[in-house]
Amino acid sequence: MRNIAFATAFLFTLSLYAQVTGGRAMFEFLNVPANAELAAWGGQNVSVKSKDPAMFLANPALLHDEMHKVASLSYMPYLENVKMYSLVAAAEVGKIGPIALGFKYLNYGTLDERAEDATFLGTFRSNDYAITLGKSYTIGTITLGVNAKFLGSELASYRAHAWAI
């Protein structure tokens, strides 16, 4: 009984250290669909194969040999000055197999900077971007995939960069 109480107390202590300060996640723009077809699927696609290479941004296992020498360019305007661009190209490379390279850029436009008393201080720009390299491998009826991403975010004078797999 004593060991169970100790284990429970230990687990609760660990959960306190697992909280993220200031929000739930970073680089939330990655959850925005990269093109219209992916948006039509609700932003997620786990199984429907398409000839659009931008689908690999959501699931690298959707990359296949029919995407050889296919490119995708997407422009999606949102409210106000917010605009998203994506450029993706895929190819079948000899013994390596299908690979893709994608660039996703979300521009929030020019924003007003104000003090606590609403005094206008000037303007600043904000944007997010991701450069993604993807690879898939098919074994029988199962396709495996992996993406490597370089992420960047800019808000006024603040910048953040990260690598993700």
Side-chain angles (χ1 to χ4, degrees):
M1 185 66 171
R2 188 176 186 183
N3 290 338
I4 293 173
F6 176 77
T8 304
F10 182 72
L11 288 175
F12 280 118
T13 305
L14 288 179
S15 68
L16 293 176
Y17 293 112
Q19 296 177 3
V20 177
T21 304
R24 292 180 37 203
M26 293 290 298
F27 301 108
E28 281 289 327
F29 78 99
L30 293 172
N31 294 327
V32 177
N35 65 359
E37 183 178 3
L38 195 54
W41 284 105
Q44 299 295 324
N45 183 5
V46 295
S47 62
V48 177
K49 286 194 174 183
S50 168
K51 289 188 179 181
D52 185 354
M55 300 300 267
F56 98 97
L57 294 172
N59 183 355
L62 295 175
L63 200 58
H64 54 87
D65 56 355
E66 290 180 25
M67 294 179 180
H68 180 58
K69 294 185 179 178
V70 176
S72 171
L73 176 64
S74 179
Y75 167 72
M76 296 172 53
Y78 288 98
L79 298 173
E80 287 293 321
N81 293 330
V82 180
K83 297 171 183 71
M84 188 175 68
Y85 308 88
S86 67
L87 174 62
V88 178
E92 180 83 21
V93 181
K95 292 181 181 179
I96 296 173
I99 63 168
L101 180 65
F103 180 70
K104 183 176 176 181
Y105 179 74
L106 189 57
N107 183 352
Y108 300 99
T110 303
L111 305 167
D112 291 342
E113 182 178 5
R114 299 191 179 270
E116 292 86 8
D117 63 355
T119 304
F120 180 74
L121 300 174
T123 61
F124 65 92
R125 300 190 56 76
S126 178
N127 57 61
D128 294 318
Y129 61 89
I131 300 169
T132 306
L133 178 64
K135 167 75 179 105
S136 70
Y137 183 74
T138 302
I139 306 169
T141 59
I142 297 172
T143 303
L144 308 171
V146 64
N147 280 344
K149 299 181 182 197
F150 177 72
L151 309 170
S153 183
E154 180 180 329
L155 177 64
S157 63
Y158 300 99
R159 287 172 178 59
H161 296 95
W163 286 95
I165 296 177

